[in-house]
Amino acid sequence: MFHPTVARLTYRALLGRRRALILFALPALLVVLAVAVRVLAGADDSTAGGILGVFALGTMVPLIGVIAGTGAIGPEIDDGSVVYLLAKPVSRPTIIITKLLVAIGVTVVFSAVPVLLAGFLLNGNSQQIAVGYAVAAAIASVAYSALFLLFGTITRHAVVFGLVYALVWESLVGNLIPGAKTLSVQQWALAVGQKAAAEGAIASDVQLPLAISLLVALTVAATWYASRRLKALTLAGEE
């Protein structure tokens, strides 16, 4: 279910000059912000939790997920080069799973690793806050990659839909409306990160069993449907 050639081409597309600049810019901004806050305000658990929860997990991680998830397949569909890939003797599920694994890897590296570094810079990992939020970022990276990869297969405006979801639903609605928090990837990831941090250091509005179930369900369903859409795309092209 993993194809090295597809993976190599996907990595090359994701780490091209334009996307690489954005991918590096967001984590760099987080690290610079962490250094500035530590120098100006000193180590503070509350401040560290606010920056890692609101900016890093609430904004940076979903944005990186949008870039990696949609960029793994969206441009190939837009410019028609996906036809050459589909002509190869590679199953559609293998293509999707390979691209998903690449998107997850890129998202984790550019989100969870900087979050961990920023957490150590902010408060030296007091109460395991850095580790907890890094775990949450890694978990969220999986779900976001699957969701935004799906967007890339169903619409040519995947980036727009991804940004609306990331900035409106996750950053705004999912944080302000109580009922919507249950359907927020951020809250699901926080439930997992909560267990990695000290008691009371990280809070989530979703219980851990439900959060894990929803994370798995979203990832599996998005991957499955993306494979079906890719098959449909092939049939449409042949017709």
Side-chain angles (χ1 to χ4, degrees):
M1 299 302 289
F2 181 84
H3 198 280
T5 301
V6 174
R8 184 173 65 253
L9 293 174
T10 306
Y11 273 118
R12 187 178 301 172
L14 286 179
L15 300 179
R17 182 178 302 176
R18 184 177 301 177
R19 285 190 179 85
L21 288 175
I22 301 175
L23 287 172
F24 278 104
L26 290 170
L29 178 59
L30 174 63
V31 172
V32 170
L33 179 62
V35 171
V37 170
R38 180 61 183 267
V39 170
L40 296 175
D44 181 77
D45 293 348
S46 177
T47 301
I51 293 175
L52 296 178
V54 176
F55 175 71
L57 193 62
T59 301
M60 186 192 79
V61 177
L63 286 179
I64 292 176
V66 170
I67 297 169
T70 61
I73 196 169
E76 290 177 300
I77 295 177
D78 291 342
D79 62 20
S81 62
V82 71
V83 174
Y84 300 100
L85 177 61
L86 297 178
K88 303 296 182 182
V90 183
S91 69
R92 306 307 177 248
T94 296
I95 293 174
I96 290 297
I97 291 175
T98 299
K99 288 182 173 292
L100 174 61
L101 291 175
V102 172
I104 290 172
V106 170
T107 307
V108 169
V109 168
F110 285 94
S111 60
V113 175
V115 166
L116 181 64
L117 176 59
F120 273 95
L121 290 172
L122 284 165
N123 72 342
N125 195 35
S126 173
Q127 297 193 72
Q128 296 291 306
I129 287 178
V131 172
Y133 277 105
V135 169
I139 294 297
S141 296
V142 177
Y144 285 137
S145 296
L147 179 62
F148 297 133
L149 180 65
L150 172 62
F151 284 2
T153 64
I154 63 178
T155 176
R156 291 181 178 273
H157 306 290
V159 174
V160 175
F161 280 94
L163 289 174
V164 170
Y165 177 88
L167 297 178
V168 176
W169 184 264
E170 288 289 349
S171 298
L172 185 61
V173 177
N175 283 325
L176 298 179
I177 301 177
K181 293 182 178 181
T182 306
L183 299 177
S184 169
V185 173
Q186 179 185 349
Q187 292 299 323
W188 305 343
L190 282 172
V192 180
Q194 186 178 32
K195 294 300 180 180
E199 185 175 356
I202 297 177
S204 173
D205 291 283
V206 182
Q207 296 298 315
L208 183 60
L210 177 60
I212 293 176
S213 299
L214 292 172
L215 284 164
V216 172
L218 173 61
T219 303
V220 172
T223 304
W224 171 79
Y225 192 63
S227 299
R228 286 185 58 85
R229 289 293 300 180
L230 201 59
K231 290 181 180 179
L233 178 66
T234 307
L235 294 174
E238 292 173 351
E239 292 173 358

